[in-house]
Amino acid sequence: MSSRGYKRRVAVVTGASSGIGAATARSLARDGYEVVLGARRVDRLEELAAEIGGRAQQLDVTDAESVERFVAGLDRVDVLVNNAGGAKGMASVADADLDDWQWMWETNVAGTLRVTKALLPALEESGDGLIVTVTSLAAIEPYDNGAGYTAAKHGQAMIHRTLRLELLGKPIRLTEIAPGMVETEFSLVRFDGDAAKADAVYSGLEPLVADDVAEVISFVASRPPHVNLDQIVMKPRDQASARRNIRTG
Ligand code: NAP
């Protein structure tokens, strides 16, 4: 069915089962969007979808068939939030774990490419499409032992920034959100479930929380069609760069 058959605008959020994605799904639902939530942990998605009146759909962005099934269930898409992603491990280039690098590439880079490519026709058809990609400070600067993640986030950002050029003239806006430290399950995933290591990342400073980022995404989505916020870098006050922060607590 064509997008004109529906009244409510539809927002697709990838990685909506936790952290920034879950907060964004809540925020966009509050704004009146019908939200389609995608991630691998369907139980969590279903719980959140029931809470916000959205739709839960299994999605593994590293699996082409899963992306195909996900996209086949969508009739209309006005907003795509490319949020699924993350880091695995922290190691110097000399000690790089190729499996971790592969995971980060597949999830952040190829995953963003698969979903975005598949949804471009629907976003154009909407007449006022928006692609928000959650990259990172890691897409802007390097840090010690972070090359696997910074390489992946730079790769993901390049897809997004290149599309900003390639889509000129089409009714699709593009916004890159590059956050610094946000306390979510990000570090727990990065350190393979080691809670002590994950907690240490945020100790002594006040990190951003998922809602801080979600509110900005809602603001971006609420601008009129001619206003394109190209890139938003968000950091906690206690963090000046990917390499420098202050721990006073
Ligand atoms: P999070 O709580 O770990 O959330 C990550 C989300 O990505 C989860 O919903 C996860 O869902 C999903 N995901 C991971 N692999 C996936 C796959 N193969 N297919 C589909 N979904 C997948 O971490 P977060 O901080 O909210 O991360 C969200 C985004 O923000 C990521 O792109 C991350 O790189 C970026 N970011 C985070 C920070 C930070 O400090 N937290 C800073 C800058 C940027 P399932 O496991 O259920 O699939």
Side-chain angles (χ1 to χ4, degrees), residues 101-155:
W101 277 62
Q102 196 70 43
W103 186 95
M104 289 187 272
W105 175 268
E106 269 301 319
T107 308
N108 295 284
V109 188
T112 296
L113 176 60
R114 283 188 192 98
V115 175
T116 306
K117 187 177 171 200
L119 291 182
L120 278 177
L123 286 158
E124 185 174 353
E125 157 99 355
S126 82
D128 176 23
L130 169 67
I131 300 171
V132 175
T133 302
V134 182
T135 63
S136 173
L137 269 193
I140 294 172
E141 46 172 327
Y143 60 90
D144 295 57
N145 304 316
Y149 186 55
T150 54
K153 284 301 192 186
H154 274 72

Side-chain angles (χ1 to χ4, degrees), residues 36-40 42 45 55-59 69-74:
V36 181
L37 303 95
R40 294 165 303 175
V42 179
L45 290 184
R55 271 194 282 155
Q57 276 184 225
Q58 194 276 345
L59 171 67
R69 274 195 304 276
F70 182 80
V71 169
L74 301 170

